[in-house]
Amino acid sequence: MEAISPKHLMTSLVIIIASSLTAHCGCAKRGGERPYKEANTLFIRTSCSSTTYPRLCYSSLVKHADLIQTNRVVLTGAALNVTLASVKSTSAMMSTLAKKQGLKPREVAAMQDCVEQLSDTVDELRRSIAEMSDLRASNFEMIMSDVQTWVSAALTDETTCNDGFQEITAATDIKSTVRRLVIQVAQLTSNALALINKLANS
Ligand SMILES: *[C@@H]1O[C@H](CO)[C@@H](O)[C@H](O)[C@H]1NC(C)=O
Protein backbone atom coordinates (compact mmCIF):
# COMPACT_ATOMS: atom_id res chain seq x y z
CA MET A 1 0.00 0.00 0.00
CA GLU A 2 1.17 3.49 -0.79
CA ALA A 3 2.35 5.44 2.20
CA ILE A 4 0.29 8.48 3.08
CA SER A 5 2.45 11.55 2.56
CA PRO A 6 2.02 14.61 4.77
CA LYS A 7 0.90 16.47 1.66
CA HIS A 8 -1.90 13.99 1.00
CA LEU A 9 -2.84 14.09 4.63
CA MET A 10 -3.03 17.89 4.49
CA THR A 11 -5.16 17.78 1.35
CA SER A 12 -7.57 15.29 2.93
CA LEU A 13 -7.71 17.41 6.05
CA VAL A 14 -8.56 20.50 4.01
CA ILE A 15 -11.28 18.61 2.16
CA ILE A 16 -12.74 17.23 5.39
CA ILE A 17 -12.69 20.62 7.08
CA ALA A 18 -14.03 22.41 4.00
CA SER A 19 -16.90 19.94 3.58
CA SER A 20 -17.82 20.05 7.24
CA LEU A 21 -17.88 23.83 7.03
CA THR A 22 -20.13 23.66 3.99
CA ALA A 23 -22.42 21.27 5.84
CA HIS A 24 -22.75 23.74 8.70
CA CYS A 25 -23.48 26.47 6.26
CA GLY A 26 -26.53 24.66 4.87
CA CYS A 27 -28.30 24.67 8.27
CA ALA A 28 -27.29 28.14 9.43
CA LYS A 29 -28.66 30.79 7.13
CA ARG A 30 -27.75 33.74 9.32
CA GLY A 31 -24.01 34.34 9.52
CA GLY A 32 -23.59 31.55 7.00
CA GLU A 33 -20.82 33.48 5.31
CA ARG A 34 -18.32 32.97 8.11
CA PRO A 35 -17.55 29.30 7.51
CA TYR A 36 -16.81 30.09 3.86
CA LYS A 37 -14.40 32.77 5.04
CA GLU A 38 -12.65 30.20 7.20
CA ALA A 39 -12.34 27.82 4.24
CA ASN A 40 -10.87 30.69 2.19
CA THR A 41 -8.27 31.64 4.80
CA LEU A 42 -7.41 27.97 5.26
CA PHE A 43 -6.82 27.72 1.51
CA ILE A 44 -4.42 30.67 1.66
CA ARG A 45 -2.60 29.22 4.66
CA THR A 46 -2.23 25.83 2.98
CA SER A 47 -1.05 27.34 -0.32
CA CYS A 48 1.44 29.58 1.51
CA SER A 49 2.90 26.65 3.42
CA SER A 50 4.92 25.66 0.34
CA THR A 51 6.53 29.09 -0.04
CA THR A 52 9.86 30.12 1.51
CA TYR A 53 8.29 32.82 3.71
CA PRO A 54 4.89 31.35 4.63
CA ARG A 55 4.01 33.88 7.32
CA LEU A 56 4.67 36.88 5.06
CA CYS A 57 2.77 35.08 2.29
CA TYR A 58 -0.26 34.57 4.51
CA SER A 59 -0.29 38.06 6.04
CA SER A 60 0.06 39.71 2.62
CA LEU A 61 -2.73 37.67 1.01
CA VAL A 62 -5.31 37.12 3.74
CA LYS A 63 -6.76 40.62 3.22
CA HIS A 64 -7.74 39.48 -0.27
CA ALA A 65 -9.38 36.25 0.96
CA ASP A 66 -12.85 37.27 -0.28
CA LEU A 67 -11.51 37.74 -3.79
CA ILE A 68 -9.23 34.69 -3.79
CA GLN A 69 -11.75 32.27 -2.25
CA THR A 70 -10.16 28.92 -3.17
CA ASN A 71 -9.01 29.79 -6.68
CA ARG A 72 -5.32 29.12 -7.36
CA VAL A 73 -5.11 31.42 -10.39
CA VAL A 74 -6.63 34.33 -8.47
CA LEU A 75 -4.33 33.55 -5.52
CA THR A 76 -1.28 33.73 -7.78
CA GLY A 77 -2.54 36.94 -9.41
CA ALA A 78 -3.09 38.50 -5.99
CA ALA A 79 0.46 37.52 -4.94
CA LEU A 80 1.79 39.29 -8.05
CA ASN A 81 -0.35 42.37 -7.34
CA VAL A 82 0.82 42.56 -3.73
CA THR A 83 4.44 42.24 -4.89
CA LEU A 84 4.03 44.96 -7.52
CA ALA A 85 2.50 47.36 -4.97
CA SER A 86 5.41 46.71 -2.61
CA VAL A 87 8.03 47.24 -5.33
CA LYS A 88 6.39 50.52 -6.33
CA SER A 89 6.30 51.89 -2.79
CA THR A 90 9.88 50.77 -2.13
CA SER A 91 11.05 52.41 -5.34
CA ALA A 92 9.27 55.67 -4.46
CA MET A 93 10.78 55.60 -0.97
CA MET A 94 14.23 55.01 -2.45
CA SER A 95 13.90 57.96 -4.86
CA THR A 96 13.04 60.16 -1.89
CA LEU A 97 15.92 58.82 0.19
CA ALA A 98 18.37 59.38 -2.68
CA LYS A 99 17.68 63.14 -2.48
CA LYS A 100 18.50 63.34 1.22
CA GLN A 101 21.28 65.64 2.29
CA GLY A 102 24.53 64.28 3.57
CA LEU A 103 24.62 61.06 1.56
CA LYS A 104 27.94 59.86 0.26
CA PRO A 105 28.28 59.82 -3.55
CA ARG A 106 28.60 56.02 -3.46
CA GLU A 107 25.35 55.75 -1.55
CA VAL A 108 23.54 58.02 -4.00
CA ALA A 109 24.92 56.00 -6.93
CA ALA A 110 23.86 52.68 -5.37
CA MET A 111 20.43 54.13 -4.67
CA GLN A 112 20.01 55.31 -8.26
CA ASP A 113 21.07 51.88 -9.55
CA CYS A 114 18.49 50.32 -7.27
CA VAL A 115 15.71 52.59 -8.48
CA GLU A 116 16.58 51.53 -12.02
CA GLN A 117 16.58 47.83 -11.13
CA LEU A 118 13.27 48.20 -9.32
CA SER A 119 11.83 49.95 -12.35
CA ASP A 120 12.76 46.87 -14.42
CA THR A 121 11.09 44.76 -11.75
CA VAL A 122 7.91 46.85 -12.06
CA ASP A 123 7.86 46.21 -15.83
CA GLU A 124 8.41 42.47 -15.37
CA LEU A 125 5.64 42.21 -12.79
CA ARG A 126 3.23 44.35 -14.85
CA ARG A 127 3.80 42.16 -17.90
CA SER A 128 3.24 39.04 -15.79
CA ILE A 129 -0.01 40.40 -14.32
CA ALA A 130 -1.27 41.41 -17.76
CA GLU A 131 -0.58 37.95 -19.23
CA MET A 132 -2.03 36.14 -16.24
CA SER A 133 -5.34 37.94 -16.79
CA ASP A 134 -5.45 36.26 -20.21
CA LEU A 135 -4.77 32.75 -18.92
CA ARG A 136 -6.76 29.99 -20.64
CA ALA A 137 -6.37 26.24 -21.03
CA SER A 138 -5.08 26.76 -24.60
CA ASN A 139 -2.26 29.16 -23.62
CA PHE A 140 -1.60 27.94 -20.08
CA GLU A 141 1.87 26.48 -20.65
CA MET A 142 3.14 29.39 -22.73
CA ILE A 143 1.92 32.05 -20.31
CA MET A 144 3.14 30.22 -17.22
CA SER A 145 6.55 29.85 -18.83
CA ASP A 146 6.70 33.59 -19.65
CA VAL A 147 5.60 34.52 -16.15
CA GLN A 148 8.18 32.19 -14.60
CA THR A 149 10.88 33.87 -16.70
CA TRP A 150 9.80 37.43 -15.85
CA VAL A 151 9.33 36.89 -12.14
CA SER A 152 12.69 35.09 -11.91
CA ALA A 153 14.24 38.12 -13.67
CA ALA A 154 12.51 40.42 -11.17
CA LEU A 155 14.04 38.45 -8.30
CA THR A 156 17.49 38.74 -9.90
CA ASP A 157 17.09 42.52 -10.31
CA GLU A 158 16.16 42.86 -6.64
CA THR A 159 19.18 40.80 -5.62
CA THR A 160 21.42 43.00 -7.75
CA CYS A 161 19.97 46.08 -6.05
CA ASN A 162 20.68 44.63 -2.63
CA ASP A 163 24.20 43.51 -3.59
CA GLY A 164 24.99 47.08 -4.68
CA PHE A 165 24.37 48.17 -1.10
CA GLN A 166 26.36 45.35 0.39
CA GLU A 167 29.42 46.83 -1.30
CA ILE A 168 29.05 49.93 0.83
CA THR A 169 30.99 48.70 3.81
CA ALA A 170 30.00 51.32 6.38
CA ALA A 171 26.88 50.40 8.36
CA THR A 172 24.87 53.52 7.61
CA ASP A 173 21.18 54.17 8.37
CA ILE A 174 20.47 54.38 4.66
CA LYS A 175 22.09 51.01 4.08
CA SER A 176 19.99 49.28 6.72
CA THR A 177 16.76 51.01 5.60
CA VAL A 178 17.33 50.02 1.99
CA ARG A 179 18.22 46.47 2.98
CA ARG A 180 15.04 46.09 5.02
CA LEU A 181 12.85 47.40 2.18
CA VAL A 182 14.50 45.39 -0.56
CA ILE A 183 14.55 42.19 1.47
CA GLN A 184 10.80 42.48 2.02
CA VAL A 185 10.25 43.01 -1.71
CA ALA A 186 12.50 40.06 -2.59
CA GLN A 187 10.70 37.80 -0.12
CA LEU A 188 7.31 38.72 -1.61
CA THR A 189 8.72 38.06 -5.10
CA SER A 190 10.16 34.73 -4.04
CA ASN A 191 6.78 33.72 -2.59
CA ALA A 192 4.96 34.79 -5.77
CA LEU A 193 7.42 32.73 -7.81
CA ALA A 194 6.81 29.67 -5.61
CA LEU A 195 3.04 30.02 -6.14
CA ILE A 196 3.60 30.48 -9.90
CA ASN A 197 5.77 27.36 -10.06
CA LYS A 198 3.16 25.40 -8.13
CA LEU A 199 0.40 26.57 -10.47
CA ALA A 200 2.56 25.80 -13.52
CA ASN A 201 3.09 22.23 -12.32
CA SER A 202 -0.57 21.64 -11.49
C1 LIG B 1 -4.57 42.47 -9.85
O1 LIG B 1 -4.50 43.77 -10.39
C2 LIG B 1 -5.18 43.92 -11.62
C3 LIG B 1 -4.85 45.30 -12.16
O2 LIG B 1 -5.06 46.30 -11.21
C4 LIG B 1 -6.67 43.70 -11.40
O3 LIG B 1 -7.37 43.84 -12.60
C5 LIG B 1 -6.87 42.30 -10.85
O4 LIG B 1 -8.22 42.10 -10.52
C6 LIG B 1 -6.02 42.07 -9.62
N1 LIG B 1 -6.10 40.65 -9.29
C7 LIG B 1 -6.18 40.21 -8.05
C8 LIG B 1 -6.29 38.75 -7.92
O5 LIG B 1 -6.16 40.94 -7.09
Side-chain angles (χ1 to χ4, degrees), residues 64 67-68 73-79 81 129:
H64 306 291
L67 181 70
I68 294 168
V73 176
V74 181
L75 173 89
T76 308
N81 282 1
I129 290 164

Side-chain angles (χ1 to χ4, degrees), residues 98-195:
K99 295 188 190 98
K100 258 179 74 165
Q101 300 293 310
L103 288 186
K104 294 180 183 68
R106 282 198 62 171
E107 288 178 327
V108 175
M111 206 98 75
Q112 283 165 349
D113 285 349
C114 255
V115 170
E116 235 168 80
Q117 277 131 12
L118 291 181
S119 150
D120 290 344
T121 301
V122 166
D123 287 343
E124 285 144 0
L125 291 171
R126 278 208 181 117
R127 239 181 289 170
S128 302
I129 290 164
E131 279 226 352
M132 281 284 291
S133 69
D134 224 22
L135 196 63
R136 288 184 297 271
S138 58
N139 61 20
F140 184 85
E141 275 180 32
M142 192 193 73
I143 286 186
M144 290 315 293
S145 162
D146 281 350
V147 172
Q148 281 173 315
T149 305
W150 293 330
V151 178
S152 301
L155 196 53
T156 305
D157 286 330
E158 290 154 12
T159 308
T160 309
C161 157
N162 208 14
D163 288 351
F165 272 88
Q166 286 309 97
E167 284 166 19
I168 298 167
T169 43
T172 61
D173 285 351
I174 287 288
K175 184 176 165 180
S176 62
T177 303
V178 168
R179 258 183 68 78
R180 190 170 44 77
L181 292 172
V182 177
I183 283 174
Q184 161 104 338
V185 157
Q187 289 181 344
L188 286 171
T189 309
S190 156
N191 283 345
L193 187 57
L195 296 175

